[in-house]
């Protein structure tokens, strides 16, 4: 893996640490709970939008000694009549990601309370974590909504005055924040899915969850107590 592949065009369309905290701490009602939690988990895991859309509750171990999220598939809406199609993650990048304490708190609340309020019933292990209101895989206009959330949090909708932010900025932000905290690029690559293509790599990840957990814990995100929008 070439080092420059890890953080493409250093700094392009990623949020700064200060902007991340301003966005994730924003309690404005204009950002619904669905998007507050999704924005936080996206920045805390670096997962691609298709991977986030594909998550079901069975992919999370929220009550384990080390809470984790499994990334084993992505959803694309390229089937007949736009129906969702599930396939391997990009580059077959199956991985297990330890959860930052703030992401864990938000996800626990979303599972026990927010999800029920959103769809009208309790979730099952097979249900999408971030579904449509009819409990289907969501097809929301993520780039438009993400820019709207930035504006609500009084942040710019464009980077460097000319590049519109897309939801992919959350992934670039994850990698940029970890690098700024001195996390080795090999660990950032594994967490981001730039590694782990084969069985040997996946075993490497499984054996080194402790190192990955230590890396994720360094993300300079709002603390669980600072998430004032989580009851």
């Amino acid at each position: 893996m070439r080092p420059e592949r890890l953080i493409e065009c250093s700094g392009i369309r990623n949020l700064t640490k200060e902007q991340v905290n301003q966005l994730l701490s924003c309690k404005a009602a204009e950002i619904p709970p669905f998007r507050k939690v999704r924005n936080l988990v996206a920045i805390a895991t670096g997962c691609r939008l298709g991977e986030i859309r594909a998550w079901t509750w069975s992919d999370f171990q929220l009550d384990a000694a080390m809470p984790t999220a499994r990334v084993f598939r992505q959803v694309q809406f390229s089937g007949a009549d736009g129906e969702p199609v599930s396939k391997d993650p990009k580059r077959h990048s199956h991985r297990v990601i330890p959860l930052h304490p703030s992401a864990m708190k938000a996800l626990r609340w979303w599972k026990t309370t927010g999800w029920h309020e959103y769809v009208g019933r309790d979730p099952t292990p097979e249900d999408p974590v971030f579904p449509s209101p009819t409990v289907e895989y969501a097809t929301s206009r993520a780039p438009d909504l993400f820019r709207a959330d930035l504006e609500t949090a009084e942040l710019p909708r464009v980077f460097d005055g000319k590049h519109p932010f897309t939801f992919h900025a959350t992934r670039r932000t994850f990698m940029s924040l970890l690098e700024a905290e001195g996390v080795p690029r090999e660990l950032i690559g594994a967490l981001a899915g730039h590694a782990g293509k084969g069985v040997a790599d996946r075993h490497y990840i499984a054996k080194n969850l402790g190192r990955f957990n230590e890396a994720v814990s360094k993300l300079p995100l709002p603390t669980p107590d600072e998430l004032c929008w989580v009851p």
Side-chain angles (χ1 to χ4, degrees):
M1 178 182 63
R2 298 184 311 180
E4 62 268 24
R5 288 287 302 279
L6 190 56
I7 301 177
E8 300 172 3
C9 302
S10 179
I12 289 184
R13 302 192 197 186
N14 65 276
L15 303 177
T16 66
K17 177 173 65 174
E18 292 74 22
Q19 289 173 328
V20 166
N21 279 267
Q22 189 167 329
L23 172 64
L24 300 184
S25 298
C26 182
K27 60 181 180 180
E30 288 82 359
I31 307 178
F34 177 103
R35 301 207 308 263
K36 283 186 171 81
V37 178
R38 189 175 67 175
N39 290 340
L40 169 56
V41 176
I43 293 174
T45 63
C47 288
R48 305 172 179 96
L49 180 59
E51 295 167 343
I52 293 172
R53 284 173 167 165
W55 270 332
T56 66
W57 285 111
S58 63
D59 292 315
F60 285 85
Q61 298 293 323
L62 297 180
D63 297 320
M66 183 190 300
T68 59
R70 295 190 333 144
V71 183
F72 274 56
R73 62 194 173 280
Q74 64 176 323
V75 165
Q76 296 181 342
F77 295 89
S78 55
D81 299 321
E83 290 298 314
V85 174
S86 180
K87 55 179 64 177
D88 273 349
K90 190 175 181 179
R91 301 188 182 94
H92 305 285
S93 53
H94 306 91
R95 58 201 188 278
V96 177
I97 304 174
L99 292 173
H100 186 277
S102 295
M104 180 179 63
K105 177 182 179 180
L107 281 164
R108 283 176 173 168
W109 171 80
W110 179 243
K111 183 178 182 181
T112 59
T113 304
W115 200 96
H116 181 112
E117 294 175 351
Y118 182 62
V119 304
R121 65 168 173 82
D122 291 336
T124 70
E126 293 74 31
D127 283 326
V129 175
F130 298 108
S132 71
T134 54
V135 199
E136 298 172 330
Y137 288 102
T139 59
S140 62
R141 305 180 313 280
D144 293 340
L145 296 176
F146 183 66
R147 287 190 288 270
D149 294 345
L150 291 173
E151 186 172 29
T152 298
E154 300 182 350
L155 293 169
R157 295 169 60 101
V158 296
F159 177 84
D160 199 26
K162 54 186 176 182
H163 303 294
F165 277 112
T166 68
F167 194 79
H168 197 65
T170 61
R171 179 169 167 81
R172 293 190 178 108
T173 297
F174 169 80
M175 292 186 281
S176 297
L177 292 177
L178 287 177
E179 185 175 61
E181 293 299 318
V183 175
R185 285 195 164 193
E186 65 171 277
L187 295 186
I188 301 175
L191 287 165
H194 290 175
K197 300 178 184 178
V199 173
D201 288 327
R202 292 197 293 274
H203 286 176
Y204 166 79
I205 292 173
K207 291 177 181 178
N208 286 274
L209 278 177
R211 293 183 67 201
F212 297 151
N213 187 51
E214 181 180 357
V216 169
S217 69
K218 293 181 179 180
L219 285 167
L221 306 181
T223 67
D225 290 340
E226 291 171 337
L227 295 178
C228 56
W229 47 269
V230 180

